[in-house]
Short mmCIF file of all heavy atoms in Angstrom, two decimals:
data_model
loop_
_atom_site.label_atom_id
_atom_site.label_comp_id
_atom_site.label_asym_id
_atom_site.label_seq_id
_atom_site.Cartn_x
_atom_site.Cartn_y
_atom_site.Cartn_z
N TYR S 284 104.49 103.32 114.38
CA TYR S 284 104.97 104.13 115.52
C TYR S 284 103.94 105.19 115.88
O TYR S 284 103.93 105.69 117.01
CB TYR S 284 106.33 104.75 115.19
CG TYR S 284 107.42 103.69 115.22
CD1 TYR S 284 107.71 102.94 114.09
CD2 TYR S 284 108.09 103.40 116.40
CE1 TYR S 284 108.67 101.94 114.12
CE2 TYR S 284 109.05 102.40 116.45
CZ TYR S 284 109.33 101.67 115.32
OH TYR S 284 110.27 100.67 115.37
N GLN S 285 103.11 105.57 114.93
CA GLN S 285 101.99 106.48 115.15
C GLN S 285 100.90 106.08 114.16
O GLN S 285 101.21 105.56 113.07
CB GLN S 285 102.39 107.94 114.88
CG GLN S 285 103.29 108.54 115.94
CD GLN S 285 102.53 108.89 117.21
OE1 GLN S 285 101.67 109.75 117.22
NE2 GLN S 285 102.86 108.21 118.28
N PRO S 286 99.62 106.33 114.50
CA PRO S 286 98.57 106.04 113.53
C PRO S 286 98.47 107.17 112.50
O PRO S 286 98.21 108.33 112.86
CB PRO S 286 97.29 105.98 114.39
CG PRO S 286 97.64 106.61 115.69
CD PRO S 286 99.11 106.84 115.77
N ILE S 287 98.71 106.85 111.24
CA ILE S 287 98.61 107.88 110.18
C ILE S 287 98.36 107.19 108.84
O ILE S 287 98.85 106.10 108.59
CB ILE S 287 99.89 108.76 110.12
CG1 ILE S 287 99.73 109.88 109.08
CG2 ILE S 287 101.14 107.93 109.86
CD1 ILE S 287 100.82 110.95 109.13
N GLY S 288 97.58 107.86 108.02
CA GLY S 288 97.36 107.44 106.64
C GLY S 288 97.32 108.69 105.79
O GLY S 288 97.40 109.81 106.32
N ALA S 289 97.19 108.51 104.49
CA ALA S 289 97.10 109.68 103.62
C ALA S 289 96.40 109.34 102.33
O ALA S 289 96.41 108.18 101.88
CB ALA S 289 98.50 110.24 103.32
N MET S 290 95.79 110.37 101.76
CA MET S 290 95.24 110.28 100.42
C MET S 290 96.01 111.29 99.60
O MET S 290 96.19 112.43 100.03
CB MET S 290 93.77 110.66 100.46
CG MET S 290 93.18 110.84 99.10
SD MET S 290 91.70 111.86 99.13
CE MET S 290 92.30 113.47 99.52
N ILE S 291 96.51 110.86 98.45
CA ILE S 291 97.30 111.78 97.62
C ILE S 291 96.55 111.95 96.29
O ILE S 291 96.17 110.96 95.66
CB ILE S 291 98.72 111.23 97.35
CG1 ILE S 291 99.37 110.79 98.68
CG2 ILE S 291 99.57 112.28 96.65
CD1 ILE S 291 100.77 110.22 98.53
N SER S 292 96.34 113.19 95.90
CA SER S 292 95.58 113.44 94.66
C SER S 292 96.45 114.16 93.64
O SER S 292 97.43 114.81 93.99
CB SER S 292 94.31 114.23 94.94
OG SER S 292 94.55 115.61 94.80
N THR S 293 96.06 114.02 92.41
CA THR S 293 96.77 114.71 91.32
C THR S 293 96.44 116.20 91.37
O THR S 293 95.43 116.62 91.96
CB THR S 293 96.33 114.18 89.94
OG1 THR S 293 94.91 114.30 89.87
CG2 THR S 293 96.75 112.74 89.75
N SER S 294 97.26 116.97 90.68
CA SER S 294 97.04 118.43 90.62
C SER S 294 95.72 118.75 89.95
O SER S 294 95.03 119.70 90.32
CB SER S 294 98.19 119.09 89.86
OG SER S 294 99.39 118.84 90.54
N ARG S 295 95.33 117.94 88.96
CA ARG S 295 94.06 118.20 88.25
C ARG S 295 92.89 118.23 89.23
O ARG S 295 92.04 119.13 89.20
CB ARG S 295 93.84 117.09 87.19
CG ARG S 295 92.50 117.19 86.48
CD ARG S 295 92.46 116.28 85.27
NE ARG S 295 92.55 114.85 85.61
CZ ARG S 295 91.56 113.97 85.41
NH1 ARG S 295 90.41 114.36 84.91
NH2 ARG S 295 91.74 112.70 85.71
N ILE S 296 92.85 117.28 90.13
CA ILE S 296 91.74 117.20 91.08
C ILE S 296 91.86 118.32 92.11
O ILE S 296 90.88 119.02 92.41
CB ILE S 296 91.73 115.81 91.76
CG1 ILE S 296 91.44 114.75 90.69
CG2 ILE S 296 90.71 115.76 92.89
CD1 ILE S 296 91.48 113.33 91.20
N TYR S 297 93.06 118.50 92.62
CA TYR S 297 93.29 119.55 93.63
C TYR S 297 92.91 120.92 93.04
O TYR S 297 92.21 121.72 93.69
CB TYR S 297 94.77 119.51 94.02
CG TYR S 297 95.19 120.56 95.02
CD1 TYR S 297 94.96 120.37 96.38
CD2 TYR S 297 95.83 121.72 94.60
CE1 TYR S 297 95.35 121.32 97.30
CE2 TYR S 297 96.23 122.68 95.53
CZ TYR S 297 96.00 122.47 96.88
OH TYR S 297 96.38 123.42 97.78
N ASP S 298 93.35 121.17 91.80
CA ASP S 298 93.08 122.48 91.18
C ASP S 298 91.59 122.70 90.97
O ASP S 298 91.11 123.84 91.03
CB ASP S 298 93.83 122.60 89.85
CG ASP S 298 95.33 122.72 90.07
OD1 ASP S 298 95.74 123.01 91.22
OD2 ASP S 298 96.10 122.50 89.11
N ALA S 299 90.86 121.61 90.72
CA ALA S 299 89.41 121.75 90.52
C ALA S 299 88.75 122.22 91.82
O ALA S 299 87.83 123.05 91.80
CB ALA S 299 88.81 120.43 90.08
N VAL S 300 89.24 121.72 92.95
CA VAL S 300 88.70 122.16 94.25
C VAL S 300 89.14 123.59 94.53
O VAL S 300 88.34 124.46 94.90
CB VAL S 300 89.15 121.20 95.38
CG1 VAL S 300 88.69 121.71 96.75
CG2 VAL S 300 88.64 119.79 95.13
N LEU S 301 90.45 123.83 94.30
CA LEU S 301 91.01 125.15 94.57
C LEU S 301 90.30 126.24 93.75
O LEU S 301 89.91 127.28 94.28
CB LEU S 301 92.51 125.12 94.23
CG LEU S 301 93.35 126.31 94.62
CD1 LEU S 301 93.44 126.41 96.14
CD2 LEU S 301 94.77 126.17 94.03
N GLY S 302 90.12 125.95 92.47
CA GLY S 302 89.51 126.94 91.58
C GLY S 302 87.99 126.91 91.63
O GLY S 302 87.32 127.77 91.04
N GLY S 303 87.41 125.90 92.28
CA GLY S 303 85.96 125.79 92.36
C GLY S 303 85.47 126.35 93.69
O GLY S 303 85.58 127.53 93.97
N SER S 304 84.99 125.45 94.54
CA SER S 304 84.47 125.91 95.83
C SER S 304 85.58 126.41 96.75
O SER S 304 85.35 127.17 97.68
CB SER S 304 83.74 124.75 96.54
OG SER S 304 84.68 123.75 96.87
N GLY S 305 86.83 125.94 96.47
CA GLY S 305 87.96 126.36 97.31
C GLY S 305 88.02 125.67 98.66
O GLY S 305 88.78 126.08 99.54
N PHE S 306 87.25 124.60 98.81
CA PHE S 306 87.15 123.96 100.13
C PHE S 306 86.84 122.49 99.95
O PHE S 306 85.85 122.15 99.29
CB PHE S 306 86.02 124.66 100.91
CG PHE S 306 85.75 124.08 102.27
CD1 PHE S 306 86.67 124.23 103.30
CD2 PHE S 306 84.57 123.39 102.54
CE1 PHE S 306 86.42 123.70 104.57
CE2 PHE S 306 84.31 122.86 103.80
CZ PHE S 306 85.24 123.01 104.81
N PHE S 307 87.68 121.60 100.48
CA PHE S 307 87.36 120.18 100.46
C PHE S 307 86.44 119.91 101.65
O PHE S 307 86.83 120.08 102.81
CB PHE S 307 88.64 119.34 100.53
CG PHE S 307 88.40 117.84 100.55
CD1 PHE S 307 87.29 117.26 99.93
CD2 PHE S 307 89.31 116.99 101.17
CE1 PHE S 307 87.08 115.89 99.95
CE2 PHE S 307 89.11 115.61 101.20
CZ PHE S 307 88.00 115.06 100.59
N GLN S 308 85.22 119.49 101.32
CA GLN S 308 84.19 119.38 102.36
C GLN S 308 84.34 118.07 103.13
O GLN S 308 83.57 117.14 102.97
CB GLN S 308 82.82 119.44 101.68
CG GLN S 308 81.76 119.96 102.60
CD GLN S 308 80.51 120.30 101.81
OE1 GLN S 308 80.60 120.85 100.72
NE2 GLN S 308 79.36 119.95 102.35
N HIS S 309 85.37 118.04 103.95
CA HIS S 309 85.70 116.81 104.68
C HIS S 309 86.56 117.22 105.86
O HIS S 309 86.82 118.41 106.06
CB HIS S 309 86.47 115.87 103.73
CG HIS S 309 86.64 114.48 104.26
ND1 HIS S 309 85.59 113.70 104.66
CD2 HIS S 309 87.75 113.72 104.48
CE1 HIS S 309 86.07 112.52 105.09
NE2 HIS S 309 87.36 112.53 104.99
N GLY S 310 87.01 116.26 106.66
CA GLY S 310 87.92 116.59 107.76
C GLY S 310 87.65 115.79 109.00
O GLY S 310 86.54 115.28 109.21
#
Side-chain angles (χ1 to χ4, degrees):
Y284 287 87
Q285 287 285 295
I287 184 169
M290 169 202 69
I291 310 179
S292 92
T293 55
S294 298
R295 175 168 65 115
I296 295 177
Y297 178 81
D298 290 344
V300 175
L301 189 67
S304 66
F306 177 70
F307 178 30
Q308 207 167 319
H309 191 56

